Amino acid sequence: MVVNFARTTASTELLTQVFQQIDAQSCPRSFNFHMHTVYSDGKLQPNILMEQAIAIGLKGLAITDHHSISGYQAAHAWLEDWRWSNPDSSIPHLWSGVEINANLLDVEVHILAYGFEIENSSIKPYLQRKAVIGRDYQAANVIAAIHDAGGLAVLAHPVRYKRSHFDLIPKAAEYGIDGVEAFYAYKNPNPWKPCAVESEEVQLLAEEYSLFNTCGTDTHGLNLLQRL
């Protein structure tokens, strides 16, 4: 499926189209939906991250700092300036993003939020640079808040937790999650490549529960083509 970036203007509508076509070859050179900057626990400055995204030729990306959109905001401002200076160049689509800690089946998981309205009051508790507690920490409420803000919710790296993805993904689906990070390099190989067995298991669960598959490098270092 080909996504028409020019015709589709609504952020979540476009993101939905992109998620429907993500496969094992999408990341890290076409799309990347998981990366960190110096505004959480990453090493990349937002402007350097965007320079790399353009050099790689990414069509779309999301910066997913932990409980912060400051990196996204800085990158967005830089990209707008770059657009004016390079009117004939290919511009990657930058969605809003954040990574949120949450309780799911009594273990801590990370939920990625994409394409949300950054000024929406429902998402604000999760953008304060630290994890929330109490009711807001429950996965069902995190997912509901993301949806209230017009965004999509995705379970990050579902095979990395203390409970099995065979338990976590069905429960997340019950709570209304939109997708799972199916293509993820758990062993941090170089070059980056999603783990085959884990990716296949997550894709099968995604199909069973009608969820999107997403992909991301989970970059914390200085290179968008690697995790660390």
Side-chain angles (χ1 to χ4, degrees):
M1 187 182 80
V2 177
V3 177
N4 190 328
F5 283 83
R7 287 191 175 182
T8 309
T9 55
S11 175
T12 308
E13 180 187 348
L14 176 57
L15 189 55
T16 297
Q17 290 186 35
V18 170
F19 281 172
Q20 286 171 340
Q21 69 170 14
I22 293 295
D23 60 26
Q25 282 71 51
S26 298
C27 189
R29 296 188 178 273
S30 294
F31 294 96
N32 192 343
F33 292 104
H34 197 164
M35 58 189 74
H36 298 274
T37 74
V38 294
Y39 286 92
S40 64
D41 57 349
K43 294 182 179 178
L44 278 169
Q45 294 287 345
N47 62 308
I48 303 299
L49 183 152
M50 292 310 305
E51 287 174 358
Q52 286 192 29
I54 291 166
I56 290 166
L58 283 177
K59 299 175 185 176
L61 69 153
I63 294 169
T64 53
D65 281 319
H66 297 277
H67 304 104
S68 173
I69 56 167
S70 296
Y72 159 74
Q73 289 173 309
H76 185 269
W78 183 93
L79 188 60
E80 289 302 301
D81 287 343
W82 193 88
R83 186 194 308 270
W84 284 106
S85 304
N86 301 270
D88 299 322
S89 299
S90 177
I91 311 289
H93 195 101
L94 176 65
W95 283 275
S96 58
V98 69
E99 188 167 13
I100 300 169
N101 293 16
N103 179 292
L104 180 63
L105 288 178
D106 296 322
V107 299
E108 182 164 271
V109 301
H110 292 173
I111 295 175
L112 296 158
Y114 299 116
F116 52 88
E117 301 159 6
I118 62 174
E119 296 299 331
N120 188 285
S121 60
S122 294
I123 201 75
K124 283 294 180 75
Y126 303 103
L127 308 180
Q128 307 303 316
R129 297 180 178 270
K130 61 182 180 180
V132 298
I133 59 174
R135 185 178 179 276
D136 287 342
Y137 179 60
Q138 301 305 312
N141 295 320
V142 173
I143 294 165
I146 295 166
H147 290 161
D148 286 347
L152 298 176
V154 169
L155 182 64
H157 38 65
V159 189
R160 266 184 64 186
Y161 303 117
K162 293 178 180 177
R163 284 198 67 161
S164 168
H165 47 297
F166 292 103
D167 297 329
L168 293 171
I169 291 174
K171 180 56 71 172
E174 181 183 322
Y175 290 153
I177 206 145
D178 301 290
V180 286
E181 195 171 37
F183 304 105
Y184 189 88
Y186 291 94
K187 299 177 177 68
N188 195 35
N190 189 4
W192 189 94
K193 183 181 180 182
C195 293
V197 172
E198 292 87 342
S199 293
E200 183 177 354
E201 289 176 353
V202 173
Q203 285 178 82
L204 288 171
L205 286 163
E207 183 177 5
E208 181 177 352
Y209 292 97
S210 301
L211 305 174
F212 296 126
N213 294 305
T214 74
C215 66
T217 54
D218 196 5
T219 293
H220 286 74
L222 293 170
N223 182 355
L224 278 187
L225 298 177
Q226 283 293 120
R227 178 166 183 259
L228 302 172

